[in-house]
Amino acid sequence: MTKKTQTQPIPKTAAELAPAPYNPRKLSEQAGRALGYSMSEFGDLSGFVFNVRTEHLVSGHQRKEQLDPGSKIVNFTEARDECGTVGLAHIQQGNRLWPIRFVDWDELKEKAANLAANNSEISGEFTEGVIDLMNEIAAGLPDVYDQALLF
């Protein structure tokens, strides 16, 4: 007999997004402030970000190298915000959609955003619980553990 699960309602605010209790990363107070500044200054840098003014990829370089060069950009929607966003779309590879954000920044702001997106000082550090988490994943999903270099 399979156990039925109840679907939970979709969160309506960021406050309702409960953190995973096993999250193995933490930020120092200083790094948290820097990350907050980066987010307010540049918006989301974790996906693909492309500067329409300079025609440069700002973030997502390593992820782009993993995509088929013929992957199409689809579903473009004009979207503007205080961080310089001018549009949103997806890069489609097969059935997968990867978010891409288009911005309009001068070259100096682009360079600052690129540096922020790659800044190890604001990426946090592992907590003591990371070893237990790694062991759990290695035991339960050994292929994922090996292929994603989680060691």
Side-chain angles (χ1 to χ4, degrees), residues 102-114:
F102 295 88
V103 297
D104 183 6
W105 292 331
D106 64 39
E107 189 173 18
L108 193 57
K109 184 159 185 170
E110 171 189 300
K111 288 177 178 179
N114 179 278

Side-chain angles (χ1 to χ4, degrees), residues 38 42 45 58-59 105 108-118:
S38 174
F42 306 116
L45 292 173
V58 180
S59 67
W105 292 331
L108 193 57
K109 184 159 185 170
E110 171 189 300
K111 288 177 178 179
N114 179 278
L115 189 59
N118 291 288

Side-chain angles (χ1 to χ4, degrees), residues 17-124:
L17 299 173
Y22 54 80
N23 183 16
R25 303 220 16 115
K26 67 178 181 177
L27 288 177
S28 69
E29 190 175 326
Q30 179 183 17
R33 283 193 304 272
L35 178 58
Y37 176 81
S38 174
M39 290 171 68
S40 69
E41 182 67 23
F42 306 116
D44 180 17
L45 292 173
S46 62
F48 293 94
V49 177
F50 184 82
N51 189 355
V52 297
R53 189 182 308 185
T54 64
E55 299 182 339
H56 293 157
L57 190 60
V58 180
S59 67
H61 294 84
Q62 310 317 318
R63 289 181 297 281
K64 179 184 164 286
E65 292 302 315
Q66 304 305 312
L67 295 175
D68 180 327
S71 298
K72 302 229 183 287
I73 295 176
V74 299
N75 306 328
F76 179 84
T77 304
E78 187 174 319
R80 298 190 179 272
D81 67 20
E82 66 279 357
C83 294
T85 302
V86 296
L88 303 171
H90 291 92
I91 301 171
Q92 183 172 15
Q93 179 172 286
N95 293 331
R96 304 284 310 262
L97 295 174
W98 304 94
I100 181 168
R101 179 174 153 235
F102 295 88
V103 297
D104 183 6
W105 292 331
D106 64 39
E107 189 173 18
L108 193 57
K109 184 159 185 170
E110 171 189 300
K111 288 177 178 179
N114 179 278
L115 189 59
N118 291 288
N119 186 349
S120 64
E121 292 297 316
I122 61 175
S123 67

